[in-house]
Amino acid sequence: MNRLDFGDDFVWGVATAAYQIEGASDIDGKGKSIWDEFTKKKGKIRNDHHADIACNFYYRYKEDIQLMKSMHIKNYRFSISWPRVLPNGIGAINEAGIAFYNNVINECLEQGITPWITLYHWDLPQVLENAGGWTNRAILDWFEEFASVCINNFGDRVKHWMVLNEPVAFTGAGYFFGKHAPGKWGLRYFLPAVHHATLSMGRIGRLIKELLPEAKVGSTFSHSPMEPISLKRRHINALRRADAIMNRLFIEPILGLGYPTEAVKALEGLKKYMLPGDEEALAFDFDFIGVQTYTREFIQFSLLMPYVWANIVEPKRRGVKKTTTMDWEVHPPSMHATLKRFHNYTNMPPIYITENGAAFEDHVADDRVNDEERVRYLEAHIEQVLRAKKDGMDIRGYFVWTLMDNFEWAEGYNPRFGLIHVDFDTQERIIKDSGRWYGEWLS
Ligand code: BGC
């Protein structure tokens, strides 16, 4: 396999998210996000970690962009912290926050790196959460204001925009299970959050197109291929429900197919939040779709998970010996299966893989991190992307998750996903062997 097999114009990059790397959580006028608050609650995050400092990217962005450059990385996907630019969620703009992102964007451009912005990667201003967050329909106006500020300030230089990062992850983990910020659980939070998140993609997508007609607009969706634990009817039905929630819930309304209510009865409750005109407003013709995939899942029927009546069977329980630090099976063909599923939808715009990568236990020895498993993971997944391209699928790019080890949400700093190793005591960076490998691949 050779990089040029992908074509000259194939986009290669890395991705990060504001809360996971920036730190400076209370600096230069930044407001609090739901993650700043959530991480302070005992027992919510493994080892009670938080991201007050994280990778200190707020102060180290120049060095980190230099590292990217030294690795021949030409595209950088990052997110904007909403409370850093609008500390009160709406209203007064924090000029220091705007200046920070301008610096990041300018530095990228000077170093020959194209910036790709994700508007929302999960760090909602806490003040907006206090007013209901994603469960309050007013979020559509709040988000429009935040997006306008970003478009007006960064749109002259940034030509690639993504509205949301993985809506099923932040509505599911944040408003259904309570495992992520803001820690709410139950259908009465989940359903309105789902509907407003879906509507926001079209609403903000249209806004970007209107204000920046030349920009390319997308949004990102997670996907894991699923298999039933056995062919018993109850497991197959459980799989249908889990798949509808995890893999179809957000992409299908965007494509004009509506919510997959036929598969999960509880989704009928979404009607309660629908206003006249919503049905049409849900669909939006994005310029591209960001697909994020890491593994596959085995599903079984379960009484423990209300409404979905299904749960995931951990890899070890089905005999998989080696998994990643997240306890995810390494299964490269899932990349191909995921791409194929997206490709098979009618009217699917071009696809970018906006996240793919793996956390393994890394060890530093003599200033080196020999992370061969990650190299093999990336290589095998990239091979599957090529296979998909050769099958005729319109796939335009691939972003590794992630540039450097960072705050992995509820798992704290334990899982290390980076191409660059970060010592969280000293902030020292070491490019791992996987980072060198990616650098060579790109050179
Ligand atoms: C998220 C990232 C996260 C990664 C690994 C994705 O769901 O977008 O923020 O770190 O997966 O769990």
Side-chain angles (χ1 to χ4, degrees):
M1 178 175 65
N2 186 302
R3 181 168 56 90
L4 297 178
D5 298 340
F6 290 78
D8 268 352
D9 49 0
F10 194 82
V11 166
W12 295 94
V14 288
T16 64
Y19 186 71
Q20 294 181 274
I21 62 166
E22 285 177 7
S25 67
D26 200 14
I27 299 275
D28 288 349
K30 178 181 163 291
K32 289 234 175 307
S33 77
I34 53 175
W35 277 92
D36 292 314
E37 296 282 327
F38 189 69
T39 49
K40 300 295 149 23
K41 295 188 181 150
K42 272 243 152 303
K44 296 292 184 198
I45 311 292
R46 184 192 274 248
N47 302 324
D48 287 328
H49 285 163
H50 55 72
D52 288 0
I53 297 174
C55 307
N56 214 8
F57 182 76
Y58 188 74
Y59 293 108
R60 303 185 64 112
Y61 68 91
K62 273 197 182 166
E63 289 99 313
D64 290 334
I65 292 170
Q66 272 308 321
L67 286 174
M68 250 184 267
K69 186 182 180 188
S70 78
M71 292 156 77
H72 307 285
I73 292 165
K74 293 279 186 337
N75 293 276
Y76 178 35
R77 170 182 174 235
F78 60 93
S79 76
I80 308 286
S81 158
W82 185 339
R84 195 180 294 290
V85 301
L86 290 172
N88 305 314
I90 50 174
I93 296 176
N94 177 29
E95 291 303 335
I98 300 288
F100 167 66
Y101 292 110
N102 271 330
N103 290 340
V104 171
I105 292 163
N106 293 341
E107 188 65 22
C108 280
L109 292 172
E110 268 164 43
Q111 304 306 330
I113 296 169
T114 304
W116 294 58
I117 283 184
T118 309
L119 283 169
Y120 186 76
H121 202 131
W122 308 355
D123 47 353
L124 190 72
Q126 181 63 43
V127 284
L128 298 182
E129 181 53 40
N130 297 345
W134 285 96
T135 69
N136 185 341
R137 195 175 169 107
I139 188 110
L140 297 174
D141 298 329
W142 305 333
F143 196 179
E144 192 164 283
E145 188 172 331
F146 165 54
S148 308
V149 170
C150 295
I151 297 164
N152 291 336
N153 283 283
F154 315 132
D156 57 334
R157 285 149 297 150
V158 178
K159 303 297 170 206
H160 299 88
W161 295 76
M162 283 149 280
V163 179
L164 296 180
N165 182 71
E166 297 192 357
V168 77
F170 75 81
T171 57
Y175 292 89
F176 189 51
F177 300 125
K179 294 247 183 267
H180 278 189
K184 301 258 163 71
W185 68 86
L187 272 195
R188 70 195 167 110
Y189 296 114
F190 179 62
L191 293 179
V194 165
H195 187 50
H196 302 143
T198 313
L199 281 174
S200 79
M201 288 189 275
R203 174 96 168 248
I204 305 301
R206 284 178 200 101
L207 178 78
I208 302 173
K209 283 309 236 186
E210 185 193 314
L211 298 179
L212 299 173
E214 253 120 74
K216 297 284 181 218
V217 187
S219 201
T220 81
F221 302 84
S222 48
H223 184 276
S224 305
M226 290 178 171
E227 317 229 2
I229 196 68
S230 85
L231 292 179
K232 291 211 172 89
R233 165 98 50 81
R234 67 176 196 280
H235 298 313
I236 292 179
N237 288 341
L239 176 138
R240 263 187 75 228
R241 292 188 295 271
D243 178 59
I245 299 284
M246 301 297 295
N247 292 330
R248 301 171 52 205
L249 184 55
F250 290 92
I251 186 65
E252 295 197 356
I254 286 295
L255 297 174
L257 302 170
Y259 291 117
T261 344
E262 85 295 341
V264 183
K265 214 168 168 326
L267 292 178
E268 282 170 11
L270 283 164
K271 282 204 197 92
K272 189 171 148 199
Y273 305 97
M274 290 263 201
L275 296 186
D278 279 8
E279 206 85 61
E280 304 79 62
L282 283 174
F284 180 66
D285 201 4
F286 277 114
D287 297 314
F288 68 92
I289 289 295
V291 172
Q292 322 203 139
T293 188
Y294 290 86
T295 187
R296 67 170 166 177
E297 305 288 11
F298 278 74
I299 302 297
Q300 70 179 3
F301 172 79
S302 165
L303 285 171
L304 298 178
M305 179 62 68
Y307 311 112
V308 193
W309 312 117
N311 68 12
I312 289 170
V313 183
E314 294 94 61
K316 277 174 193 133
R317 276 181 48 213
R318 48 185 174 81
V320 178
K321 291 208 178 62
K322 185 88 191 83
T323 57
T324 71
T325 316
M326 301 294 280
D327 202 16
W328 295 344
E329 180 189 5
V330 177
H331 188 254
S334 289
M335 170 63 83
H336 184 273
T338 293
L339 294 171
K340 187 162 173 198
R341 188 163 194 204
F342 277 78
H343 169 81
N344 281 345
Y345 280 117
T346 324
N347 299 330
M348 176 55 61
I351 294 170
Y352 289 80
I353 295 125
T354 39
E355 280 184 30
N356 174 241
F360 291 109
E361 247 179 66
D362 295 323
H363 302 282
V364 182
D366 298 329
D367 284 337
R368 213 186 125 183
V369 178
N370 177 342
D371 60 338
E372 229 184 278
E373 280 178 302
R374 187 172 291 102
V375 174
R376 269 190 270 124
Y377 179 100
L378 294 173
E379 206 165 29
H381 284 77
I382 290 173
E383 240 167 47
Q384 295 291 327
V385 178
L386 183 58
R387 203 183 125 209
K389 265 184 81 74
K390 285 190 175 152
D391 289 348
M393 304 182 206
D394 188 358
I395 301 156
R396 307 271 177 101
Y398 175 93
F399 291 75
V400 175
W401 183 267
T402 178
L403 176 66
M404 57 191 156
D405 297 339
N406 60 39
F407 177 79
E408 176 52 34
W409 309 112
E411 298 301 318
Y413 294 98
N414 185 45
R416 290 179 173 272
F417 272 94
L419 295 173
I420 297 174
H421 184 274
V422 177
D423 179 324
F424 292 103
D425 295 324
T426 62
Q427 290 296 339
E428 194 197 342
R429 272 73 163 147
I430 298 173
I431 300 181
K432 300 179 192 176
D433 285 3
S434 59
R436 291 167 194 263
W437 172 83
Y438 197 46
E440 263 164 47
W441 171 255
L442 298 180
S443 68

